[in-house]
């Protein structure tokens, strides 16, 4: 749910430290986070300790950690020894004393604290949201995609490296409930009027997928009978919204049924599935999907496609849960490739509509979302500086994939490709190149020009044509070199495939004079009659 404006970016050393795999990051591999924190609603502070378990890949003595102001690292220890730490903006360089032997497993303990940045516009600007519910109880939530998890806890804040597992131990006032990722192991009460919630995540998890949600929550649950067996589904909502939630969250099993059909099993059975009410729109936190769509269908009651189909489902439940497959299971290494998350997940809305309302409805929905495309800048951003591509990665990305499905022209094969992605890249971080190559390989198509066109330019391919009696002349223009997308058209009302190429005229002879040509609207292209 992150997008950037159109301005020409100016990058700094801080952007590089945040966005690249620096030498001080590259030499160690994350194994486990054990994150403990106290959250104090009275003064909006958070403090605690992160024990970071890692494997030494090659011997180096300086480690980069990340924590953003106004939060501070207070102390770093290893094996009972206090280590010296040098701060460079949001990067903290730890000088290790013990020899870092390749292959060895090591742990450091990082004490930290402060008043984390408050999000001005969650979830699009990162930080912590401190609100109150209608009864005056605190309602607190983290959201940090793009800006980084290091807004509120010290970590290796780059997406390429995920811990294999994680513990979150969050201490809150006795009257409140805290919900994070994974499964609740225990709730520990303390004499000082606080209690600690212990959450265990047994799968790899990306940094921005980690979350803390605190409120006067009530809980209900159900078991979904899924492809991998029973899946525990837990719901945490504000007390006043319990009855609404019990109705609206009937969408969850419907979503699971549709997405397991298209994408394969939900990727985190071991960690359960959760919906958690928050004071902002929603976010795809892994196994802890946050929800703020006001218990309405559509996107806060609106249909983003303008077709009516968008009001047939709860946008936030469907879209943010789609990210469990595309974002949390298959995760970008660099935010420049964020299209992998958002294009497939925006496209998942179309597949959800199709599953319940038929193929025509699904197509109408995704075609309807084209009204939101700006073509302001490419879908792929800039690498190694923490800079994502255009917000078009949602609707243009979905229409790009819908177009590709037309060319594959075999729905069973297309479904196998989508399911195969989630199996072959299971719990992995990936690059755009890997996904592009995979789709080329599994569809049997050379998709290099296709992806260069739709991911790396803002041009919409145009089918130029002219008619000369029974002869039709046609070509692609406004396109990259070698662009050769086959396209389905209606000629005099009859369906036909054309195989235009970039900038070179081709011609075919038809049985009768050409009076009308119309491109199949399922293709995200334009057409122009020249004569």
């Amino acid at each position: 749910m992150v997008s950037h404006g159109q301005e020409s970016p100016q990058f700094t050393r801080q952007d590089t430290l945040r966005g690249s795999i620096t030498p001080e990051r590259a030499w160690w591999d994350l194994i486990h986070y054990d994150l403990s924190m106290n959250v104090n609603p009275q003064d909006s502070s958070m403090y605690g300790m992160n024990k970071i378990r890692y494997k030494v890949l090659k011997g180096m003595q300086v480690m980069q950690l990340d924590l953003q102001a106004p939060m501070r690292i207070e102390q770093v220890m290893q094996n009972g020894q206090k280590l010296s730490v040098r701060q460079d903006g949001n990067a903290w360089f730890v000088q290790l004393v013990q020899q870092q032997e390749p292959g060895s497993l090591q742990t450091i303990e990082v004490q930290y604290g402060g008043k984390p940045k408050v999000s001005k516009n969650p979830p699009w600007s990162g930080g912590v949201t401190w609100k109150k519910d209608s009864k005056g109880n605190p309602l607190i939530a983290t959201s940090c995609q793009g800006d980084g998890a290091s807004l509120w806890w010290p970590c290796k804040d780059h997406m390429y490296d995920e811990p294999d597992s994680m513990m979150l131990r969050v201490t809150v006032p006795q009257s409140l409930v805290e919900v994070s990722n994974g499964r609740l192991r225990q709730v520990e009460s303390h004499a000082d009027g606080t209690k600690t919630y212990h959450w265990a995540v047994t799968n790899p998890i990306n940094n921005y997928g980690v979350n803390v949600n605190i409120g006067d929550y009530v809980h209900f649950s159900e078991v979904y009978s899924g492809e991998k067996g029973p899946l525990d589904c837990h719901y945490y909502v504000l007390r006043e919204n319990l009855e609404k939630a019990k109705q609206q969250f009937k969408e969850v099993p419907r979503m699971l049924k549709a997405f397991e059909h298209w994408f394969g099993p939900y990727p985190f059975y071991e960690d359960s599935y959760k919906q958690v009410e928050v004071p902002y729109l929603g976010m795809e936190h892994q196994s802890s999907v946050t929800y703020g769509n006001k218990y309405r269908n559509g996107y806060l009651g609106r249909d983003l496609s303008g077709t009516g189909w968008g009001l047939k489902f709860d946008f936030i439940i469907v879209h943010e849960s789609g990210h469990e497959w595309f974002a949390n299971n298959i995760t970008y290494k660099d935010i420049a490739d964020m299209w992998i998350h958002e294009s497939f997940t925006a496209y998942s809305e179309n597949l959800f509509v199709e599953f319940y309302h038929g193929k025509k409805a699904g197509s109408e929905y995704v075609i309807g979302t084209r009204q939101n495309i700006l073509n302001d800048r490419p879908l792929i951003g800039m690498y190694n500086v923490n800079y994502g591509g255009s917000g078009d990665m949602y609707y243009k990305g979905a229409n790009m994939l819908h177009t590709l499905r037309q060319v594959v022209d075999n729905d069973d094969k297309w479904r196998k490709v989508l399911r195969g992605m989630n199996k072959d890249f299971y719990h992995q971080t990936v690059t755009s190149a890997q996904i592009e190559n995979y789709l080329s390989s599994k569809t049997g198509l050379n998709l290099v020009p296709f992806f260069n066109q739709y991911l790396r330019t803002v041009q919409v391919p145009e089918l130029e044509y002219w008619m000369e009696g029974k002869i039709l002349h046609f070509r692609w223009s406004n396109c990259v070199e070698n662009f050769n997308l086959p396209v389905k058209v209606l000629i005099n009302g009859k369906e036909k495939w054309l195989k235009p190429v970039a900038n070179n005229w081709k011609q075919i002879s038809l049985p009768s004079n050409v009076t009308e040509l119309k491109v199949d609207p399922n293709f995200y292209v334009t057409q122009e009659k020249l004569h």
Side-chain angles (χ1 to χ4, degrees), residues 206-358:
N206 68 54
N207 286 333
Y208 84 81
V210 177
N211 70 344
V212 164
N213 307 286
I214 301 163
D216 180 28
Y217 289 131
V218 290
H219 166 252
F220 64 103
S221 65
E222 63 182 319
V223 177
Y224 175 75
S225 179
E227 276 196 26
K228 277 175 77 171
L231 171 61
D232 295 324
C233 298
H234 295 278
Y235 309 112
Y236 290 86
V237 300
L238 293 179
R239 198 172 296 278
E240 66 208 61
N241 292 329
L242 178 60
E243 292 312 312
K244 280 189 210 166
K246 283 183 173 176
Q247 283 305 309
Q248 195 70 4
F249 288 0
K250 287 178 179 174
E251 194 79 289
V252 170
R254 283 166 48 79
M255 171 279 299
L256 288 165
K257 187 175 182 184
F259 288 168
E260 287 207 330
H261 168 84
W262 285 111
F263 305 141
Y266 171 74
F268 307 104
Y269 271 70
E270 304 80 4
D271 289 327
S272 80
Y273 172 92
K274 291 190 289 300
Q275 282 278 338
V276 188
E277 185 172 355
V278 291
Y280 63 85
L281 186 59
M283 194 71 204
E284 66 261 25
H285 302 111
Q286 184 172 309
S287 73
S288 179
V289 176
T290 49
Y291 179 86
N293 202 35
K294 303 191 185 302
Y295 301 98
R296 298 161 77 183
N297 277 1
Y299 180 101
L300 292 172
R302 289 189 298 121
D303 174 9
L304 296 177
S305 76
T307 64
W309 295 115
L311 296 177
K312 302 284 188 188
F313 64 96
D314 186 311
F315 177 91
I316 290 299
I317 291 175
V318 169
H319 178 92
E320 303 307 344
S321 300
H323 276 307
E324 294 280 34
W325 285 263
F326 295 98
N328 298 339
N329 185 36
I330 304 172
T331 308
Y332 58 67
K333 272 191 163 75
D334 189 304
I335 200 172
D337 290 336
M338 190 174 158
W339 77 269
I340 298 165
H341 293 197
E342 297 301 353
S343 299
F344 280 97
T345 303
Y347 179 61
S348 78
E349 301 157 26
N350 154 21
L351 295 178
F352 178 89
V353 171
E354 176 174 331
F355 189 82
Y356 287 105
H357 303 288

Side-chain angles (χ1 to χ4, degrees), residues 376-393:
D376 54 349
R377 55 193 186 87
L379 301 199
I380 289 186
M382 297 186 193
Y383 292 97
N384 300 316
V385 285
N386 196 49
Y387 189 78
S390 166
D392 281 348
M393 65 180 79

